[in-house]
Amino acid sequence: MKNVRYIIASLVLSLAACVQTIEPETATPPAPTDSVAQATAASVTPAAPTPTMPTATAAETATATETPFVIPTHLRPSPTASPPSRTPTTTPTPWPTPSSLPLPMSQELTFEVVAHEGGRAFSVATEGNVAYVGLGPRLVMLDVTDPANVQPLARSPVLPGLVSPVLIGEDVVYAGTGRHLLVLQADDQGQLDVLAEVRLPGYVSHLIQADGMLYAAGSVPAGPEEQPTGFLAAVAPTEDNDLAFVDAPSLPAAASGIARDGDLLYVALDPLGPGPGELFVFDLDRGALLGEPATTRLPFQDQVHSLHMAGETLLVGGHMHLYALDTGDPAGAGSVGLEKRWQVDASPDLFLPMVEGMAVVGDTIYVVGNVPAGAYIPSRLAVPAPELLEGEGGSTTSPLVSLSNNRLFVTEGDSLQIYDVSQPGELVQIGGYGPFPTLMSTLAIEEPAPGEELLYLYSASSNDSRAEELFTFRLPDLQPLGYLSIEATNEPQLSQGALFDLLLHQNQAYAVARDGIRQIDISVHSAPRIIAHHPFTEGALSPRGLVAAGDTLYLSVQRPPQLAAISFDATGNSEQTGELARPLQGNNINDVTAAGDTLYLTTSEHPEGWLHTIDVSAGNPERLATLPLPGEPAWGILAADGTLLAVAVNEQLILIDVSAPDRPQALSAVTLPFAAEQFRSINALAFQEDLLFVIASSTLLAIDVSDPTAPRALGGFQLPNWGDHLAISGDTIVVGDGSMGVLVLRMNR
């Protein structure tokens, strides 16, 4: 796989132009709630390079007759044929445009954290054989004496945001978590306790210490019509391990790197786009953070992803470029001289990434980052400096990288990676730590017996060749029970926009994998096994969801918009039994859900959207009605409870009466309480009796919809991050996201 990735990267490097995709900043709630502060820390299990749960593989697949999924010929696009008629079988119900309603809030319901595991590795700091790693919203303390067998020593409770960055102080550790800078200290019970915190103007991404002062840099998100900015905050630690806020000058863009050279503090700015970055230079000796502007503002020729100070050389990590600047001496009052010494560029022989972190040993520069090649391909390189680097390599300041005892520690993606750098120019991985999956496609809860709840986590990615994985956990403590690896049997067929879905139905699990639908026996929780495979044979299919009605499964395909009926029997045989006779209005299927013998699909064709009701009582799907929506519906955000349907449209929650499926009627359009500075997005919906649970950006809301014309929120909970996945059983709520991990909440009525 490594060779394949290098070939892809080489092809990308040969293009005349390269456009970088910037992932939007992850929103973090502004303050911890009482329920977060009272989070119960679940026990930490020792790390292992592979899951420690009992496993079963696709080799156990039964030799059932495979019936491929094929889009019927008359539904395939034709360059010569006229487009099929999109006239609906019934007249579309006009959109009544109900009045936009505010959402009243009460505190009738509260939430408490029961368990949490996982999360993306965002930061690392090391001291000797101890590493502090930010895993999602927790800080974890690890014994890395044996890199191949890393042992957890302590961990924090769930903190108010994702942990990045981390800095080790004297007997304490400092961590940036969202808008907060925290002081933590390990106790004798394996807990990293929060001693103090200070709120900052924005989200902390970089942290450095100089002459007893902490300098935190980051980003300040803006409203929908504004450009985000940045900040640089000075915070003074006190003798009693408290924090005193000093000053925080604003910056015109988000900070992407920080480095110190004596009294000079360099801050890199990222404009969050393909344009060049900037370097701001603060003279700390002149009190530049006490109401004074930066000493020098230097435009740069490239994007700037990281900074590192090596002796008198300032290393600048760019977009597939590495620069060395001679800091020299101040060139007079109010200015700093920076002369470029050399430059290293990506080439077919050197797969230099977007340089997001650096460490220096002797004259070797170790760079980490990602190569943009369709997907982001991780890169770790040992780059010899074209000229000798004078002076010490200096402490790493990128939150992704730390250096200790000739070992390079890298946190990026789903784990901590440990490399031996004792031999000049060599980079050999010798260990790591990654106890929980971070790729999450969906979550589902099963109740096999009264009082017993199991969580199924399905992990897959169309941007990677790794196998799909099914994890089983016992709730509420997330105890691992079972594991299944699903290996593709042919070339991947799903497009990059595909939705990997998991359906629990009649004591079986059905997983939409990259090469078809797998029927999985989950009766033995510790050893799920594949019993049937319904393959995809059409190239680049983009499934948008899998639902069930009676004994039949229905798979929706994004393009061309289509719905196919598939039946599985107890022996593992499958058969495609029907499909919609005519295409749906719109050129994309956004989502599908089911209630009884009725399916509900949303489709879109920018800037319009539609809701379709589909009758499946007679076997073949038959469209009953089409309801125009007041805009494009969100992808994958649709829920129904039998008589009421909820869909997200244009940042609003639309409630629709579907008690008569052939006459759906819009009841209300609800304006949710988004924070003005956060990205506005409805991420997940789920019904539970008369309650509709909604994740709006980083807020979980429980909304009473017993009167859908006047919904009201009964309680809310601030999540450490956006939650993309939601599963509910009784008073147990599970929220999941690759960055945050899995968070189990209990609702108190």
Side-chain angles (χ1 to χ4, degrees):
M1 184 59 197
K2 177 183 288 186
N3 291 334
V4 173
R5 288 176 171 173
Y6 283 172
I7 292 171
I8 295 174
S10 179
L11 291 174
V12 171
L13 292 171
S14 66
L15 295 177
C18 180
V19 179
Q20 178 192 9
T21 301
I22 302 295
E23 295 182 359
E25 177 191 353
T26 305
T28 312
T33 61
D34 291 340
S35 53
V36 170
Q38 299 168 0
T40 303
S43 59
V44 182
T45 55
T50 56
T52 56
M53 296 170 276
T55 63
T57 67
E60 299 173 351
T61 304
T63 57
T65 302
E66 296 183 342
T67 303
F69 174 82
V70 180
I71 297 178
T73 303
H74 70 283
L75 294 176
R76 300 174 188 167
S78 172
T80 56
S82 300
S85 172
R86 290 184 175 177
T87 304
T89 55
T90 61
T91 302
T93 306
W95 173 253
T97 315
S99 300
S100 178
L101 300 174
L103 187 66
M105 288 283 294
S106 70
Q107 296 298 325
E108 299 174 47
L109 299 178
T110 59
F111 300 87
E112 62 176 319
V113 176
V114 177
H116 166 267
E117 294 293 344
R120 183 179 173 186
F122 283 98
S123 51
V124 60
T126 55
E127 185 176 56
N129 288 320
V130 175
Y132 293 88
V133 179
L135 287 176
R138 290 189 192 265
L139 181 63
V140 180
M141 181 180 178
L142 304 172
D143 181 352
V144 293
T145 305
D146 181 2
N149 187 27
V150 174
Q151 295 296 316
L153 298 174
R155 71 175 182 172
S156 73
V158 175
L159 300 173
L162 304 177
V163 179
S164 176
V166 179
L167 181 66
I168 298 175
E170 187 175 351
D171 298 326
V172 296
V173 60
Y174 304 102
T177 61
R179 282 183 172 271
H180 296 78
L181 180 61
L182 277 60
V183 184
L184 299 100
Q185 188 176 58
D187 61 21
D188 296 333
Q189 285 74 46
Q191 180 86 349
L192 279 167
D193 300 315
V194 178
L195 303 182
E197 67 178 88
V198 64
R199 183 176 170 84
L200 298 177
Y203 300 117
V204 186
S205 59
H206 293 80
L207 186 62
I208 197 171
Q209 190 168 24
D211 299 329
M213 188 77 73
L214 297 172
Y215 297 96
S219 61
V220 180
E225 304 300 325
E226 301 173 350
Q227 292 295 323
T229 57
F231 73 94
L232 175 64
V235 178
T238 65
E239 292 183 357
D240 58 353
N241 289 326
D242 202 353
L243 295 171
F245 178 83
V246 177
D247 192 18
S250 61
L251 302 173
S256 58
I258 193 167
R260 177 202 177 194
D261 180 22
D263 291 330
L264 298 180
L265 191 65
Y266 298 92
V267 180
L269 302 187
D270 181 4
L272 296 180
E278 283 188 293
L279 293 179
F280 270 40
V281 188
F282 293 87
D283 188 344
L284 304 180
D285 188 50
R286 298 177 57 227
L289 295 191
L290 298 176
E292 297 292 331
T295 305
T296 305
R297 180 174 178 175
L298 302 171
F300 202 71
Q301 66 192 71
D302 190 9
Q303 299 175 32
V304 181
H305 297 296
S306 59
L307 297 177
H308 182 76
M309 200 72 211
E312 294 184 353
T313 301
L314 178 63
L315 299 174
V316 181
H319 184 77
M320 306 175 78
H321 304 279
L322 175 63
Y323 308 91
L325 308 182
D326 188 351
T327 58
D329 296 322
S335 65
V336 173
L338 289 175
E339 180 181 353
K340 185 168 74 172
R341 295 180 56 190
W342 47 260
Q343 175 178 335
V344 176
D345 303 319
S347 69
D349 298 320
L350 181 66
F351 300 101
L352 196 67
M354 299 181 295
V355 181
E356 298 165 329
M358 290 175 279
V360 175
V361 180
D363 291 314
T364 301
I365 305 167
Y366 297 94
V367 301
V368 303
N370 288 275
V371 177
Y376 286 112
I377 300 175
S379 172
R380 286 85 175 98
L381 292 178
V383 180
E387 298 179 12
L388 295 180
L389 296 173
E390 298 178 358
E392 297 295 327
S395 300
T396 56
T397 55
S398 167
L400 302 178
V401 180
S402 186
L403 193 64
S404 180
N405 295 339
N406 283 322
R407 293 171 181 169
L408 182 70
F409 297 82
V410 180
T411 56
E412 192 175 27
D414 56 1
S415 64
L416 168 69
Q417 300 155 16
I418 307 175
Y419 298 87
D420 181 3
V421 294
S422 59
Q423 299 300 316
E426 293 187 9
L427 187 63
V428 181
Q429 186 168 0
I430 56 176
Y433 180 78
F436 205 86
T438 59
L439 287 174
M440 295 187 191
S441 299
T442 190
L443 301 171
I445 296 180
E446 181 198 25
E447 299 180 65
E452 182 179 14
E453 295 174 333
L454 302 179
L455 175 69
Y456 292 89
L457 188 160
Y458 188 42
S459 173
S461 171
S462 58
N463 291 330
D464 204 310
S465 62
R466 75 181 70 185
E468 289 84 29
E469 298 174 298
L470 180 64
F471 298 83
T472 309
F473 302 93
R474 189 180 303 282
L475 292 174
D477 58 353
L478 292 175
Q479 175 190 351
L481 292 181
Y483 171 76
L484 175 68
S485 176
I486 304 175
E487 299 284 351
T489 58
N490 58 359
E491 290 298 318
Q493 297 293 331
L494 299 187
S495 71
Q496 291 189 8
L499 175 71
F500 292 86
D501 206 0
L502 179 71
L503 171 68
L504 302 182
H505 183 61
Q506 297 180 347
N507 299 317
Q508 301 287 316
Y510 297 88
V512 179
R514 69 180 62 245
D515 63 347
I517 300 174
R518 305 298 180 112
Q519 183 181 16
I520 303 170
D521 182 359
I522 55 175
S523 59
V524 180
H525 309 315
S526 61
R529 64 186 185 90
I530 298 172
I531 59 176
H533 175 210
H534 189 87
F536 298 140
T537 59
E538 293 287 332
L541 285 180
S542 296
R544 294 307 308 172
L546 184 68
V547 295
D551 296 328
T552 305
L553 308 185
Y554 296 88
L555 177 73
S556 63
V557 178
Q558 177 187 351
R559 290 184 181 180
Q562 183 51 277
L563 183 73
I566 305 169
S567 65
F568 285 82
D569 63 24
T571 63
N573 292 311
S574 62
E575 179 184 5
Q576 185 172 325
T577 57
E579 63 277 322
L580 277 172
R582 303 182 68 176
L584 295 169
Q585 195 165 359
N587 59 13
N588 287 297
I589 284 185
N590 294 44
D591 198 11
V592 60
T593 190
D597 290 329
T598 305
L599 307 186
Y600 303 93
L601 290 92
T602 54
T603 61
S604 66
E605 186 169 353
H606 183 74
E608 300 177 286
W610 298 268
L611 169 71
H612 309 275
T613 60
I614 312 293
D615 178 33
V616 294
S617 59
N620 279 342
E622 179 180 352
R623 181 157 55 110
L624 296 175
T626 294
L627 175 69
L629 297 173
E632 288 186 86
W635 290 90
I637 313 297
L638 183 67
D641 74 340
T643 61
L644 187 64
L645 183 137
V647 61
V649 178
N650 292 339
E651 303 170 4
Q652 285 191 320
L653 178 65
I654 309 297
L655 298 179
I656 300 172
D657 179 5
V658 291
S659 57
D662 59 338
R663 296 186 303 277
Q665 298 291 330
L667 299 176
S668 58
V670 184
T671 301
L672 298 178
F674 292 104
E677 63 185 8
Q678 292 179 341
F679 294 102
R680 296 167 176 261
S681 173
I682 298 175
N683 304 344
L685 300 172
F687 280 101
Q688 176 74 351
E689 299 176 346
D690 286 335
L691 292 178
L692 173 63
F693 290 86
V694 181
I695 299 179
S697 293
S698 57
T699 303
L700 173 67
L701 297 169
I703 301 176
D704 181 1
V705 291
S706 55
D707 180 0
T709 64
R712 59 193 186 97
L714 304 185
F717 182 85
Q718 289 296 313
L719 301 168
N721 190 52
W722 289 23
D724 291 331
H725 310 293
L726 180 63
I728 300 173
S729 175
D731 292 333
T732 301
I733 298 103
V734 179
V735 179
D737 149 89
S739 296
M740 177 177 59
V742 174
L743 190 66
V744 182
L745 305 174
R746 178 179 291 116
M747 179 173 59
N748 299 315
R749 299 177 183 265

